[in-house]
Every structure is written in C-alpha cells, then in structure tokens.
C-alpha cells in the first residue's frame, strides 16, 4: 500500500508556507474558495471553511501544499491551479514508525483548533505489504500493541477518523501473508479496534480492500475475526482506482453481510476508473491516465456510505514502477496529471 508513511517525524507548521498558500487562494472544501483567516483557522493561518461538506482537516503543510507554494512563488499559474485541486482537499495522514503519540497529538490538536476532524491511516502492522514496495511495520505483536496504545493516547478526546491497516486483512485472505502470522494478525486487528474505540471521539474503519480484488463473499468472515463488530465500519478502495459507483455496490453488498455496518470510500484517484492495460500484476502501481475522484464529503446520498475520503494522498507514488519514486514519495508530474485529467 502506498501512502505517505515514510515521514515519521512530528511536523513543524511553517508560517511562510501558510502565507504562500493564502496568496495562492488555497482553502479546504473545494471550488477554488479563497482562504480567509479567522478564529477557526489552523495554527498556520490556513482557514477551514465552515460551509464545506467534509468534516476533515486540511493540513497546510502537505507535499501538495508545498508544491502549490513553490509554483505560486515561481509565477507558474497554470501548474498552481492544477495542484490547488489537491492541496485544498483534506487527505489522510499516514501514521507509521516511531513516536506515533507525538505525531498524532500534534496532528489532532491542529485539526481540533480548526474545528475539524483528523483523518488518520494507521499503517504499521507486522509483516506489512508482504515484503513488497511498502514492506516494514512493527517488529512483532507486542510492539504493535504498544504502538496502537501510543496512537490512542495521542488522539485523546479529540475527534478522529481512522482507516485501519490498508491491505492487512486482504493479505491474510489471499495468502500473501505467511500462514504462521495469520491468526496473530486477526488478533492484532481486533485488539487495535478495541483499543482505539476506547477514545470517546474516534471512529474506526477496518480496511476491506476494493471491488477489483474479490467478491464481498470472501470478506465477511475475515472482517468478523478482525473485530468489525466493535468498529464503526470498514473502508473500501484505499489507494485504488475502482469507480465510486462500483465501490458503493461492493460496499453495500459487504455491509449487508456484516450486520449493516457503514463504510467510507477512498475517491482520491478514481475519477477515470481502473487502468486496464499493461501487465495485470502492476496495473495498481502508478497507472497512467488516472484522475482525481469526488472531493471528500459526507454528502454521499445516504445509505451506509458515511463519507467519500481521500485516504491516499494524490501525487504520492505507489512505488518504483513506471518511472515513479519509492512508495510514499511526492511525484509532482503524476500529481499534475491526476489534476489535469480530472473534471
């Protein structure tokens, strides 16, 4: 899986960057709104418009925001306008590695000061990604349980929505995770749900793959074993490209099999649907011709879909394929293409 997990340190909010963002007219919620400083603004000065249908916080210090500031300083209005489509939207903060407590505390505090909810993607399960591009994770189960406890302490009583461990469940079901680790993984996921749900304002969505992978019939029992009963729901299409309509149908089928649990859909890069050419084994990795999807929102038309989210940060690489940098690294050319192909 392919988020911005490589950066593990606590971020420092940069006032100069915020001023550049304001000059570029970058605010959250879409539509090219001008940012306006006010009492509800984030510490850096980037406003969070109250009229947005997304409850999630727009971090003014993402790779996209920095790229927007750079294009603005250079006077490149065309590229700035494209990158603004990404920078002004709330996207998931991928949490992995050391000091999750400090990092999560800083992120959730900034979100709360802006009157918004922090969207976090936890990505540190042992034997992560089956040794592929995003391999790594906690060294063992005890370390992982302690890590999740640190995440929970960092959240405290502040609002947070969590996408829990992309691919972790699927790699058990498809056999990618070695057999000797599978029972332990179920237990770790269930324990993570239980620990995180002790925080009073935290919602937890267990990752449940995407509509291009397998039928929902293959996932209901694994989700139960992973603790879905105690979670708020599940997440679909994280870092993938299946259309929103297809993802909704997939999620509704799965929801009916797990007691009507709600779900969120990652729409960050699904504007043109999945890539269908080239090597099928690498269609997921930096596919060309893709586009941004629906903006993050809770206005999903009702039913069991709680929100469209951008769990994956558009413009950050899936891995070193098709000319891309390592997984999670910013790739401005790909970001520009995603934005340029979007409506």
């Amino acid at each position: 899986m392919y988020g911005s997990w490589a950066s593990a340190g606590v971020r420092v909010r940069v006032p100069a960057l915020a001023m550049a963002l304001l000059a570029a007219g970058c605010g959250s919620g879409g539509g090219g709104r001008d940012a306006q400083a006010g009492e509800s603004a984030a510490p850096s000065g980037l406003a969070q418009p109250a009229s947005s249908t997304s409850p999630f916080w727009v971090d003014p210090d993402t790779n996209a925001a920095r790229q927007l500031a750079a294009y603005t300083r250079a006077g490149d209005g065309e590229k700035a306008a494209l990158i603004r489509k990404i920078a002004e939207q709330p996207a998931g903060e991928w949490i992995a590695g050391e000091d999750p407590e400090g990092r999560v505390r800083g992120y959730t505090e900034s979100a709360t000061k802006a009157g918004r909810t922090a969207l976090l993607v936890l990505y540190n399960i042992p034997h992560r990604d089956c040794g592929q591009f995003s391999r790594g994770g906690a060294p063992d189960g005890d370390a992982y349980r302690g890590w999740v406890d640190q995440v929970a302490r960092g959240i405290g009583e502040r609002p947070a929505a969590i996408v829990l461990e992309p691919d972790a469940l699927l790699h058990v079901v498809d056999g990618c995770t070695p057999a000797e680790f599978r029972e332990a993984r179920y237990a770790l996921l269930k324990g993570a749900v239980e620990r995180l749900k002790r925080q009073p304002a935290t919602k937890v969505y267990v990752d449940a793959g995407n509509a291009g992978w397998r039928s929902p019939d293959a996932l209901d029992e694994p989700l139960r074993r992973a603790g879905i009963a105690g979670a708020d729901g599940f997440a679909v299409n994280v870092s993938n490209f299946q259309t929103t309509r297809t993802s909704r149908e997939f999620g509704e089928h799965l929801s009916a099999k797990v007691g009507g649990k709600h779900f969120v859909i990652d729409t960050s890069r699904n504007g043109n649907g999945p890539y269908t050419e080239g090597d099928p084994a690498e269609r997921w990795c930096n596919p060309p011709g893709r586009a941004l999807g629906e903006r993050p929102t809770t206005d999903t038309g009702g039913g069991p879909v709680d929100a469209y989210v951008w769990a994956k940060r558009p413009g950050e690489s899936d891995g070193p394929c098709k000319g891309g940098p390592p997984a999670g690294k910013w790739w401005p050319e790909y970001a520009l293409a995603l934005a340029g192909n979007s409506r």
Side-chain angles (χ1 to χ4, degrees), residues 53-133:
T53 59
S54 170
F56 303 113
W57 183 55
V58 179
D59 183 355
D61 199 18
T62 61
N63 287 320
R66 290 179 180 274
Q67 189 70 70
L68 171 59
Y71 286 146
T72 300
R73 287 194 303 268
D76 194 333
E78 182 177 356
K79 289 183 178 178
L82 289 174
I83 293 298
R84 184 181 296 114
K85 293 182 181 182
I86 298 173
E88 69 183 8
Q89 299 301 325
E93 179 76 350
W94 290 60
I95 306 298
E98 299 178 356
D99 189 27
E101 183 173 352
R103 187 175 174 197
V104 168
R105 179 177 292 111
Y107 197 84
T108 56
E109 284 179 347
S110 294
T112 299
K113 287 178 181 178
R116 297 285 167 145
T117 296
L119 177 62
L120 306 175
V121 182
L122 302 195
Y123 195 50
N124 203 46
I125 201 81
H127 315 291
R128 186 181 66 202
D129 203 34
C130 304
Q132 299 180 80
F133 292 153

Side-chain angles (χ1 to χ4, degrees), residues 105-193:
R105 179 177 292 111
Y107 197 84
T108 56
E109 284 179 347
S110 294
T112 299
K113 287 178 181 178
R116 297 285 167 145
T117 296
L119 177 62
L120 306 175
V121 182
L122 302 195
Y123 195 50
N124 203 46
I125 201 81
H127 315 291
R128 186 181 66 202
D129 203 34
C130 304
Q132 299 180 80
F133 292 153
S134 295
R135 62 185 175 273
D140 54 41
D142 287 342
Y144 183 71
R145 283 184 284 269
W147 184 86
V148 170
D149 189 59
Q150 290 182 58
V151 170
R153 293 201 304 267
I155 294 171
E157 297 185 355
R158 291 175 289 277
I162 291 174
V163 173
L164 183 62
E165 296 296 346
D167 281 350
L169 188 62
L170 300 191
H171 283 165
V172 171
V173 177
D174 68 11
C176 180
T177 298
E180 62 267 30
F181 302 131
R182 294 173 193 170
E183 290 301 319
R185 177 163 293 184
Y186 282 125
L188 289 176
L189 290 170
K190 184 176 182 180
V193 170

Side-chain angles (χ1 to χ4, degrees), residues 86-308:
I86 298 173
E88 69 183 8
Q89 299 301 325
E93 179 76 350
W94 290 60
I95 306 298
E98 299 178 356
D99 189 27
E101 183 173 352
R103 187 175 174 197
V104 168
R105 179 177 292 111
Y107 197 84
T108 56
E109 284 179 347
S110 294
T112 299
K113 287 178 181 178
R116 297 285 167 145
T117 296
L119 177 62
L120 306 175
V121 182
L122 302 195
Y123 195 50
N124 203 46
I125 201 81
H127 315 291
R128 186 181 66 202
D129 203 34
C130 304
Q132 299 180 80
F133 292 153
S134 295
R135 62 185 175 273
D140 54 41
D142 287 342
Y144 183 71
R145 283 184 284 269
W147 184 86
V148 170
D149 189 59
Q150 290 182 58
V151 170
R153 293 201 304 267
I155 294 171
E157 297 185 355
R158 291 175 289 277
I162 291 174
V163 173
L164 183 62
E165 296 296 346
D167 281 350
L169 188 62
L170 300 191
H171 283 165
V172 171
V173 177
D174 68 11
C176 180
T177 298
E180 62 267 30
F181 302 131
R182 294 173 193 170
E183 290 301 319
R185 177 163 293 184
Y186 282 125
L188 289 176
L189 290 170
K190 184 176 182 180
V193 170
E194 292 171 350
R195 176 63 187 92
L196 293 165
K197 285 303 296 177
R198 284 163 50 190
Q199 307 312 118
T202 296
K203 291 189 174 183
V204 180
Y205 297 90
V206 181
D207 182 69
N210 64 79
W213 181 73
R214 291 193 180 185
S215 163
D217 296 334
L219 288 167
D220 58 322
E221 183 58 27
L223 274 174
R224 291 189 184 94
R225 296 179 67 184
I228 190 66
D232 294 273
F234 55 92
V236 300
N237 205 47
V238 174
S239 291
N240 210 271
F241 304 87
Q242 302 298 317
T243 66
T244 301
R245 178 178 178 178
T246 300
S247 296
R248 177 185 282 271
E249 292 172 352
F250 175 86
E252 287 175 346
H253 186 171
L254 185 54
S255 172
K257 297 178 73 66
V258 292
K261 285 290 185 178
H262 284 211
F263 61 98
V264 298
I265 302 172
D266 185 352
T267 59
S268 57
R269 305 185 299 176
N270 72 348
N272 282 343
Y275 186 58
T276 59
E277 301 178 16
D279 183 356
E282 282 201 354
R283 286 175 180 169
W284 57 267
C285 191
N286 300 323
R290 300 312 92 197
L292 303 174
E294 286 94 340
R295 295 170 179 174
T297 182
T298 53
D299 185 10
T300 65
V305 185
D306 281 349
Y308 301 149

